[in-house]
Amino acid sequence: TGVYNRTAYADYIGKEDFSPDKVIVAMFDLNNLKKCNDGFGHHQGDIYITTCAKLIAEQFSDIGNCYRIGGDEFCVLMQGVSLEMCKNRVATLYKKVEKENEKKLIDVKMEIACGYVLYDKRIDYDIQDTVRRADKIMYKEKYVMKHGEAKE
């Protein structure tokens, strides 16, 4: 996919000198990958994954480390950048996904749900707490993308 894998992610956050201070965690999940694989084959699913991985890396690799941590889940760890910069990169990513959809590379509309947060030592015991908070936001975004409104 051109991004780091789950092992590299674990190695990075497990380093003795790793500090979560000022780290923004962005979690990404590809919508409808199962539908793509089941309906149109794993070849199209592979195109979906690699295309989205490339787009994520293009937007974030200059400001953070990009990881594929699951089948259709990605994580970016950014240190020393603002939440505003992250927000702008996510907005640009969404626009680029739409441009890719216009090319009709696969028979399913590509969508990437995203959630991102800054490590907060007042509420996060460690970086994994930050990951869980970003994941929760990402799943709310995923719900909105699929159903049109947030569920409380």
Side-chain angles (χ1 to χ4, degrees):
T1 59
V3 298
Y4 296 112
N5 63 20
R6 178 193 295 269
T7 301
Y9 167 82
D11 288 347
Y12 182 73
I13 66 168
K15 286 183 182 175
E16 214 170 283
D17 64 345
F18 174 79
S19 170
D21 229 18
K22 297 186 176 114
V23 171
I24 294 174
V25 174
M27 298 297 295
F28 301 90
D29 187 87
L30 310 185
N31 292 346
N32 303 317
L33 179 63
K34 181 174 174 20
K35 178 180 174 183
C36 181
N37 282 332
D38 291 351
F40 305 103
H42 287 273
H43 175 71
Q44 285 204 18
D46 290 347
I47 292 169
Y48 190 167
I49 292 167
T50 56
T51 299
C52 290
K54 180 180 132 254
L55 294 174
I56 292 168
E58 283 174 359
Q59 285 309 302
F60 293 95
S61 64
D62 65 322
I63 60 171
N65 295 336
C66 304
Y67 303 93
R68 181 179 178 200
I69 58 171
D72 65 346
E73 295 174 343
F74 296 84
C75 176
V76 178
L77 301 177
M78 296 161 270
Q79 196 155 23
V81 301
S82 69
L83 283 169
E84 188 65 26
M85 177 182 277
C86 182
K87 177 183 174 182
N88 291 338
R89 296 289 179 107
V90 170
T92 301
L93 172 66
Y94 286 170
K95 288 176 188 166
K96 293 196 178 227
V97 170
E98 285 306 312
K99 289 256 187 239
E100 287 297 313
N101 279 323
E102 290 171 10
K103 296 177 185 177
K104 304 278 187 204
L105 298 173
I106 59 174
D107 295 313
V108 171
K109 181 181 178 188
M110 292 183 283
E111 286 183 338
I112 304 175
C114 176
Y116 56 90
V117 292
L118 176 65
Y119 171 81
D120 183 341
K121 66 182 176 187
R122 295 170 299 169
I123 58 174
D124 296 330
Y125 175 74
D126 59 17
I127 196 69
Q128 287 307 112
D129 284 345
T130 316
V131 168
R132 281 187 280 280
R133 288 192 303 118
D135 219 31
K136 188 174 180 181
I137 293 166
M138 182 269 299
Y139 276 105
K140 282 183 182 177
E141 176 73 11
K142 188 175 187 73
Y143 185 89
V144 168
M145 288 174 147
K146 287 187 172 195
H147 305 288
E149 60 184 71
K151 189 167 96 172
E152 291 297 319

